[in-house]
Structure formats: C-alpha cells, structure tokens
Amino acid sequence: MNPGICLFTAPAMPLPALDARGSPDTDSRGRRRADMLGSGEPLREEASMTAQDGRIDVLVVAASAPDLAGLRASLGDTHVGTVRGLSVTSKVVGGGPANAASATARGLAAVSPRGILLLGTCGVYPGLPDYQPHDVVVTPRVVALDHAVLQGGSEWPAPLSTTLEASPAIGAGMSAGRHRTHVASVASPLSFTRSDSLASRVTGATGAHVE
C-alpha cells in the first residue's frame, strides 16, 4: 500500500474542571491546564495564551512523535504556536484505542480546544491509481475494520457503532490546501492489513480508501 498522510477532524466540546476547587483553566492546585499538556517538557506560560480568550483553538494529536515532526517549524519545541491566526498545540497520544482515548481525553481537559485534529500516516488499498506516495487524505469518516468480519468468520454486535463522522466544516478547510489532497473514508483495524488479497476487499466492503 502506498504511504500517505491522513487527517481526521472533529469539533471539541469544552470540558469542565476535573476538580470542584479548580476552574476550566486550572486544576485544584492552581496549575494552568495548558501548561500540563504536551509530550515532554511543560508548555511555556506565554505561549499557552495565544487564543484571545486564553483557550487553544486546535489540538493536534498523533500516535507517535514522528507524525508531528512536520509541525516543529510552526510550533517549535514547546508544541504550541500560531498558524494562520489560530492557536495550535500538539500531543502524542500513543497507539491503540485505549491509550489514545485516555491521552486524548487528558489533552481535551487540559486545553479545552475548539477543534481537534488526528494526524497520522496511512496506506492506500490496491486498485486506487489516483493516489501517490505522500498525498494527503482528509477523511469525512472513520470505519472500524475487523478482518474476521470481512472474511465472514464473525460479526459486529448489533448495538456497536462502527463508523465515526468527522467535522464537515473543519474537513472542508483542511482539504482546501495546496498539497495533493483526497477526501476519502479511512478504515481503522486493530491490526495492520498485510495480505494484498485481503486488502483488495476492504474498499468494496467498507468504502474506505486507506487505513
């Protein structure tokens, strides 16, 4: 599968304080939540106040630090900066649903962003010649993929939702860039698809172009 860059966007609901003695911007010890976020050193106090009301506009999350390397020119070593008038910060949340969900929730509580962007690399399924290496994919939805379900050996439980819709407004803005960009659904399996014959069935079964 050809490698690419995948973007998933969503609006973020502001979260209240985690401690009744604190506030949405500080914890019970008076520490700024924005300064508690990051994947290394604490954020600088002055950099964390780039939004007009003290909030971060966009939180960018990724599974690993290399996925965020391209943001260093804009955000620097503090992981905080201003991009086209928006205050942006980034956070490594790790791989796997449990790790990523927990770390992302902590990031949302720390900075209460207006929107969140999941950034990562992806592979393109066979039979899609319009894609080239390093193309950008902005996805309107993420589809859960289970290889056993795909092959008819198991099924999803009826109450389980297997799709997650992205923010149309944020997605439209992200897809308007100058780089080669595609708008397509993304499959999210628990394990990488390594079989070409299996990979060739995913698009027809799920509508996803990449994983």
Side-chain angles (χ1 to χ4, degrees):
M1 294 189 288
N2 288 332
I5 300 171
C6 188
L7 305 174
F8 175 79
T9 64
M13 296 296 293
L15 299 180
L18 299 183
D19 190 301
R21 295 171 295 173
S23 72
D25 294 324
T26 60
D27 69 355
S28 60
R29 299 180 184 178
R31 297 175 300 179
R32 286 179 41 78
R33 296 192 188 280
D35 296 331
M36 298 162 59
L37 177 66
S39 54
E41 298 180 1
L43 305 182
R44 293 179 180 173
E45 180 78 14
E46 65 272 16
S48 64
M49 293 293 292
T50 51
Q52 290 183 355
D53 59 0
R55 285 177 51 195
I56 292 292
D57 292 312
V58 180
L59 169 64
V60 183
V61 298
S64 63
D67 291 328
L68 297 174
L71 298 178
R72 186 173 297 274
S74 298
L75 304 184
D77 293 334
T78 64
H79 305 283
V80 182
T82 301
V83 180
R84 297 185 180 181
L86 296 176
S87 56
V88 179
T89 188
S90 63
K91 178 178 177 63
V92 174
V93 295
N99 290 338
S102 175
T104 301
R106 291 196 299 270
L108 290 171
V111 298
S112 298
R114 292 181 172 86
I116 184 168
L117 174 66
L118 172 60
L119 171 67
T121 54
C122 58
V124 180
Y125 290 121
L128 299 170
D130 291 341
Y131 290 85
Q132 298 179 10
H134 309 299
D135 280 0
V136 173
V137 179
V138 178
T139 181
R141 70 186 56 83
V142 175
V143 183
L145 172 64
D146 186 295
H147 297 112
V149 172
L150 183 64
Q151 298 177 90
S154 63
E155 63 181 10
W156 296 109
L160 181 66
S161 175
T162 58
T163 61
L164 180 63
E165 301 293 329
S167 166
I170 301 177
M174 296 300 301
S175 60
R178 298 179 180 179
H179 197 83
R180 282 180 51 89
T181 303
H182 307 266
V183 177
S185 295
V186 171
S188 179
L190 290 177
S191 57
F192 296 127
T193 304
R194 299 189 61 181
S195 166
D196 288 340
S197 61
L198 190 59
S200 64
R201 298 171 54 185
V202 175
T203 299
T206 66
H209 286 191
V210 302
E211 77 170 50

